[in-house]
Amino acid sequence: MRMHLLTLLEKYEERVLGQSTTLRLLLSAVLSGGHVLLEGVPGTGKTQMVKTLASLLGGDFRRIQFTPDLLPSDITGSMIYNMKEGSFETLKGPIFTNVLLADEINRTPAKTQAALLEAMEEKQVTIQGKTYPLPDVFFVVATQNPIEFEGTYPLPEAQQDRFLFKLLIDFPSFDEEKDILKQIIEKSFEGKSISSILDMEVFLTIQREIEQVTLGDGVIDYVMQIVRKTRETESIRFGASTRAGISIGKAAQAWAYLEGRDYVTPDDVKIVAKPSLRHRIQLSPHVELEGTAVDQIIEELVGAIPIPR
């Protein structure tokens, strides 16, 4: 099964250039059964990243463009009256898919955000009092733009906590960006469809294998020390929740599996700690005024904890 994933990663990196670590983290989150919040300026390939992954996984893909007038029923679905049959029938919304891209989630009001986030947590949707389960493989990748604030509705901390990772999409290096331009201008990929590497049954099998990756007591203690340290540090106003520790553990298992190991090391924990914590902690006001970045605080915090042997 690992060979399938390595092939998938290879094809993924051929299609999405300059984001190798981000692609691995995104795949790790998905394999962990978690949802991801992608943040980056426009034009950095966030949508392409998600669409390509959905094609490689062989799953159904839907995209919702979030706008201020979007209603919860536009996501979940509604009941309509069929005049021909003389009865009501359920019209399921775009949330009934395997991979859902919630584009610019911070452009829609809290009520609509909550409809999506409830489905993420419960893996079910209620339409007119009737509950419908979502597919076994279901994950949401939500994007948000960090530079536009007018007409946006920032996700509350409690809702951000539902996301396993928050990944920051940066600009590629000079050479990588040059390769992207050449491929687009020369239309290198034109006519080349993306063949799926996996299917949903294989994906579920891999998820079950990842659950068997060993997470030793020493590593669990290390994860707990990191999480609890966020609640005891003066530079952090509000620390991470218990869900953060669960997220780090599950993501570390997936990362170790991608690396070809059946056990988690402290280095795996270090790699996934930053994307697992950056959206779950709130810095103290004096630290924010100094302009210190969240990632820097997390690095210092993790670096201060002894690594278990």
Side-chain angles (χ1 to χ4, degrees):
M1 292 297 176
R2 280 197 183 99
M3 291 305 297
H4 289 296
L5 282 181
L6 292 176
T7 304
L8 187 151
L9 267 173
E10 184 182 339
K11 296 293 183 185
Y12 202 7
E13 290 173 354
E14 285 177 7
R15 284 280 179 166
V16 183
L17 302 176
Q19 302 288 353
S20 181
T21 302
T22 302
L23 300 183
R24 279 181 167 260
L25 285 169
L26 179 57
L27 183 58
S28 296
V30 167
L31 292 168
S32 308
H35 310 286
V36 179
L37 186 60
L38 286 181
E39 186 175 285
V41 297
T44 46
K46 298 187 294 295
T47 302
Q48 183 63 29
M49 195 180 292
V50 184
K51 286 178 68 176
T52 303
L53 180 58
S55 298
L56 291 169
L57 292 176
D60 293 330
F61 171 79
R62 298 282 182 88
R63 175 181 177 272
I64 303 175
Q65 179 63 52
F66 280 72
T67 56
D69 60 348
L70 195 74
L71 298 173
S73 58
D74 294 329
I75 297 172
T76 59
S78 58
M79 295 284 285
I80 60 170
Y81 184 72
N82 187 327
M83 295 185 69
K84 186 176 180 180
E85 301 291 333
S87 60
F88 286 94
E89 61 182 49
T90 303
L91 186 65
K92 292 183 177 180
I95 202 167
F96 290 89
T97 186
N98 299 124
V99 184
L100 180 68
L101 173 61
D103 223 350
E104 295 189 295
I105 191 173
N106 56 334
R107 286 207 170 278
T108 202
K111 188 175 182 180
T112 305
Q113 289 176 0
L116 172 66
L117 294 163
E118 182 182 6
M120 287 164 53
E121 185 71 13
E122 305 296 335
K123 271 209 168 182
Q124 63 183 30
V125 170
T126 301
I127 303 172
Q128 295 291 318
K130 188 174 180 181
T131 302
Y132 299 88
L134 291 169
D136 291 334
V137 178
F138 170 72
F139 60 90
V140 174
V141 181
T143 70
Q144 61 180 13
N145 184 343
I147 61 173
E148 291 183 22
F149 301 104
E150 190 175 343
T152 61
Y153 304 83
L155 284 172
E157 284 75 12
Q159 294 184 352
Q160 289 192 53
D161 197 37
R162 304 285 178 89
F163 290 95
L164 184 93
F165 278 172
K166 179 180 180 181
L167 300 178
L168 306 179
I169 310 300
D170 204 354
F171 293 109
S173 67
F174 181 89
D175 290 335
E176 290 166 339
E177 195 163 13
K178 182 180 176 182
D179 287 340
I180 294 169
L181 263 65
K182 284 176 68 178
Q183 285 185 355
I184 299 300
I185 292 170
E186 295 172 5
K187 300 182 180 179
S188 302
F189 288 145
E190 191 171 300
K192 295 181 182 179
S193 59
I194 306 174
S195 302
S196 62
I197 306 298
L198 307 180
D199 57 42
M200 292 299 95
E201 289 301 318
V202 174
F203 183 87
L204 289 169
T205 302
I206 292 173
Q207 280 192 323
R208 287 191 287 270
E209 289 183 0
I210 288 171
E211 289 171 359
Q212 303 306 313
V213 172
T214 303
L215 199 62
D217 282 346
V219 177
I220 292 175
D221 287 344
Y222 185 52
V223 172
M224 286 307 304
Q225 286 181 55
I226 291 172
V227 172
R228 294 185 74 84
K229 189 74 172 176
T230 65
R231 306 168 193 164
E232 300 162 1
T233 305
E234 286 186 7
S235 55
I236 297 175
R237 186 181 182 189
F238 298 115
S241 66
T242 305
R243 190 186 277 129
I246 296 169
S247 296
I248 293 172
K250 286 186 173 182
Q253 285 179 306
W255 185 271
Y257 186 89
L258 283 174
E259 292 294 309
R261 282 182 277 103
D262 59 359
Y263 60 91
V264 174
T265 68
D267 285 338
D268 299 326
V269 173
K270 279 185 173 182
I271 289 168
V272 301
K274 204 182 292 181
S276 297
L277 292 174
R278 61 166 59 109
H279 57 300
R280 289 186 162 105
I281 62 177
Q282 187 175 336
L283 300 183
S284 299
H286 71 276
V287 177
E288 288 186 328
L289 287 172
E290 291 169 3
T292 308
V294 173
D295 283 7
Q296 183 183 334
I297 296 295
I298 296 171
E299 282 180 17
E300 293 172 359
L301 181 148
V302 174
I305 297 172
I307 298 172
R309 294 185 179 275

